[in-house]
């Protein structure tokens, strides 16, 4: 079996670490795992895909000989290094927002629009984490009933803010219970305390009162579902949960809906499962959908606010389907479809 040389930019970060883990777990055919990060991490040793690898500083020459580079180091670093990587014949899968809305860059959830990979020009964008999880529930319903509009309220884990977000929640909980912490005062990357709190503010506010994170749900949904007519309103909330995002969705459809058909549409779609027996207290929650590849849908019911409406609750691991898993699935699909430059 052919093996591939894969670079991970941001290998020391929260998503980068999960990419390494998933490449191993899914037995991705790795010939070389090149771990790239900032100068701060250069020289660090990390076990990856069967070898003890030394992390290297990312430079313009880092991509020589690679088939694929998965970037998870923020938009600024993608913008700095993507062109150099592309010139070295390496296909980029980018987790940041840098290229998501670029018309020449496919924005891909493999189960939904994997066919768009055939048109890639060297860069493929991974969607925003909440959008990816929300669409795993919305897409099968859209295919069955035709999605007209939806309202989403997100409950987003701290892992979405990177490794620092996870450390910060830990430290604030410990400080609350007067448990000794690594550092007495952790500088906050959130605008307010996150432990024992909810913050209805992710990313910057825009003039219309929405945040950039909320806009991602609207714009990326339209691009991935290839439908400019779908209307979206979203409120994004950071919650003191470690790594799985939950989203409450109220959706209106073109055709009449019913719960049995909605259930069967979801059951037939790979990547989601119904976890929905309310009387047995069975519904998805962040604790039982962390480190799970599949997203869970529960609380599925008719939405009384619409003529043809459905309401549901979906949970997915932010670090996996929201980022690392989706990126690794894209890499697998690129190989399957023979869409690498080096093939
Ligand atoms: P480093 O650990 O060396 O700072 P997270 O989203 O969890 O905060 O992770 C961000 C990732 O992006 C880390 O792996 C971080 O590496 C990496 N990173 C930050 N700045 C750069 C840079 N200038 N070049 C390459 N990688 C970077």
């Amino acid at each position: 079996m052919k093996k591939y040389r894969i670079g991970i930019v941001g290998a020391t970060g929260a998503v980068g670490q999960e990419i390494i883990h998933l490449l191993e777990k899914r037995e991705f055919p790795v010939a070389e795992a090149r771990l790239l990060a900032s100068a701060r991490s250069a020289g660090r040793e990390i076990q990856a895909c069967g070898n003890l690898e030394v992390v290297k500083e990312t430079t313009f020459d880092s991509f020589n000989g690679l088939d694929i580079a998965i970037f998870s180091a923020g938009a600024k670093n993608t913008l700095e290094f993507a062109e150099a990587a592309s010139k070295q014949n390496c296909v980029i899968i980018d987790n940041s927002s840098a290229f998501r809305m670029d018309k020449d860059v496919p924005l891909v959830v493999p189960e939904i629009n994997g066919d768009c990979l055939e048109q890639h020009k060297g860069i493929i964008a991974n969607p925003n984490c909440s959008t990816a999880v929300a669409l795993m529930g919305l897409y099968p319903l859209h295919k069955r009933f035709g999605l007209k509009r939806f309202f989403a309220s997100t409950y987003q884990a701290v892992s979405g803010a990177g490794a620092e977000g996870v450390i910060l929640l830990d430290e604030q909980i410990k400080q609350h219970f007067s448990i000794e912490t690594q550092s007495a005062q952790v500088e906050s990357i959130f605008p307010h305390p996150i432990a024992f709190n909810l913050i209805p503010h992710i990313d910057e506010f825009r003039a219309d009162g929405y945040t950039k994170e909320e806009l991602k749900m609207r714009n990326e949904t339209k691009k991935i579902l290839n439908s400019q007519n779908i209307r979206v309103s979203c409120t994004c909330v950071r919650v003191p949960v470690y790594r799985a995002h939950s989203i409450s969705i109220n959706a209106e459809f073109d055709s009449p809906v019913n719960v049995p058909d909605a259930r069967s549409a979801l059951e037939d779609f790979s990547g989601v499962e119904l976890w929905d027996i309310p009387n047995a207290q069975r519904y998805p929650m962040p604790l039982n959908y962390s480190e799970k590849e599949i997203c869970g849908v529960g609380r599925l019911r008719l939405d009384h606010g619409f003529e043809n409406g459905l309401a549901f609750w979906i949970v997915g691991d932010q670090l996996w389907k929201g980022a690392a898993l989706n990126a690794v699935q894209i890499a697998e699909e690129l190989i399957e479809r023979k869409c690498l430059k080096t093939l």
Side-chain angles (χ1 to χ4, degrees), residues 71 74-86 92-108 121-128 220 223:
F71 279 65
K76 187 175 139 284
N77 290 309
T78 296
L79 291 169
E80 184 170 353
F81 294 110
E83 195 185 332
S86 203
I92 296 159
I93 302 169
D94 182 35
N95 268 307
S96 82
S97 58
F99 292 106
R100 285 188 194 140
M101 297 316 297
D102 187 318
K103 65 174 177 29
D104 290 327
V105 173
L107 178 62
V108 175
K121 296 188 168 77
I123 302 178
I124 295 128
N126 215 29
N128 166 259
E220 295 180 23
K223 181 166 176 178

Side-chain angles (χ1 to χ4, degrees), residues 9-16 36-42 44 55-59 72-74 76-77 80-81 159-165:
V9 183
T12 52
V15 174
L36 302 164
S38 77
R40 290 181 292 277
S41 303
R44 226 181 106 182
V55 178
K56 298 192 178 71
E57 179 184 356
T58 314
T59 67
S72 297
K76 187 175 139 284
N77 290 309
E80 184 170 353
F81 294 110
S159 57
E164 259 187 277

Side-chain angles (χ1 to χ4, degrees), residues 238-259:
R238 184 75 69 198
V239 300
V241 160
Y242 281 107
R243 59 177 290 163
H245 283 0
S246 307
I247 309 166
S248 170
I249 296 179
N250 301 78
E252 186 185 29
F253 298 88
D254 294 321
S255 321
V257 294
N258 62 75
V259 171

